[in-house]
Amino acid sequence: MPYPIPAPSVDAPHEAEFDVQKSRFISWVAQVNTPDDAQRLLARARAHHPSARHHCLAFIAGAPGEQQAIGFSDDGEPGGTAGRPMYQALEGSQIGQIACVAIRYFGGIKLGTGGLARAYAKCVTLALETLPTSNFMPRTPIQLEIPFAGEQGTRQWADQHDALIEQVEYSATGVRLTLAWPMDHTLDLSALNARLAGSVQLIDP
């Protein structure tokens, strides 16, 4: 159930670079959660390399195998020679939540459609060779209602099950906890209910 994603970087995207027939190719790879994140990475690349001839993009803004939040663009290169081979390389990596911008400084020598496709695929594969990754665990939200006296015990139980507490709401009758539950864990409230004398309520979404 967990899958690899690019490790977060606060400074800059992961970068790789190579030359082909006097054209300079620079790869920017970063973790993205949405297609908008991928577009922001593209805008950042254009701002940092305004004199480059092309800024091509491919992304998978979800788990490996995602079919909806995906995209690619050729940015003026012949159709199918840049974005698609980049996307295919990303797809083959089985890394999720990932985007790559391939920045090309044209060197004056045309590479042909096959040469372009190979170069843009290499933009991805070369960067992936040294890309730091971390494991991402998909989670689903659950809500529990508990008495005030049970909050500390529920927090301990959540921590034992790697469940993240996202929201806490207090009312006159008790506490409602919203948890991000790891999807590789079976939700079993029996131990928690035993600890809290059967006072735990699972709220339907």
Side-chain angles (χ1 to χ4, degrees):
M1 188 72 72
Y3 59 84
I5 63 172
S9 174
V10 296
D11 298 321
H14 182 68
E15 187 172 306
E17 182 176 336
F18 64 98
D19 293 335
V20 178
Q21 295 291 318
K22 298 184 179 181
S23 280
R24 178 188 176 200
F25 289 85
I26 303 170
S27 310
W28 274 22
V29 175
Q31 189 261 341
V32 295
N33 292 313
T34 67
D36 285 345
D37 289 341
Q39 294 300 326
R40 281 189 283 270
L41 178 67
L42 176 60
R44 186 177 176 188
R46 284 175 168 157
H48 277 71
H49 294 276
S51 59
R53 176 75 67 89
H54 304 283
H55 304 80
C56 304
L57 172 69
F59 65 88
I60 300 171
E66 166 71 35
Q67 295 299 309
Q68 299 298 320
I70 61 174
F72 48 86
S73 66
D74 296 315
D75 191 34
E77 295 283 26
T81 63
R84 181 172 291 277
M86 290 171 63
Y87 170 76
Q88 290 171 338
L90 289 180
E91 187 178 39
S93 74
Q94 291 299 299
I95 298 174
Q97 300 181 27
I98 187 169
C100 179
V101 178
I103 302 152
R104 182 189 182 191
Y105 287 88
F106 181 55
I109 300 175
K110 293 184 178 181
L111 303 182
T113 55
L116 283 172
R118 288 189 294 272
Y120 279 105
K122 184 177 178 180
C123 279
V124 175
T125 57
L126 186 65
L128 293 183
E129 288 177 1
T130 55
L131 177 70
T133 61
S134 59
N135 278 336
F136 175 80
M137 172 57 67
R139 297 174 182 272
T140 187
I142 65 168
Q143 288 189 331
L144 303 177
E145 283 195 354
I146 56 174
F148 292 113
E151 181 179 354
Q152 182 177 356
T154 303
R155 287 178 177 272
Q156 292 172 348
W157 172 84
D159 185 61
Q160 291 168 0
H161 291 80
D162 191 31
L164 306 178
I165 298 176
E166 295 192 324
Q167 188 174 1
V168 182
E169 300 174 81
Y170 298 97
S171 67
T173 57
V175 184
R176 176 175 291 192
L177 296 177
T178 301
L179 307 178
W181 187 263
M183 294 180 67
D184 68 336
H185 286 38
T186 300
L187 178 60
D188 183 354
L189 299 177
S190 57
L192 181 61
N193 256 317
R195 179 185 294 188
L196 302 185
S199 58
V200 179
Q201 290 187 342
L202 177 65
I203 308 302
D204 290 332

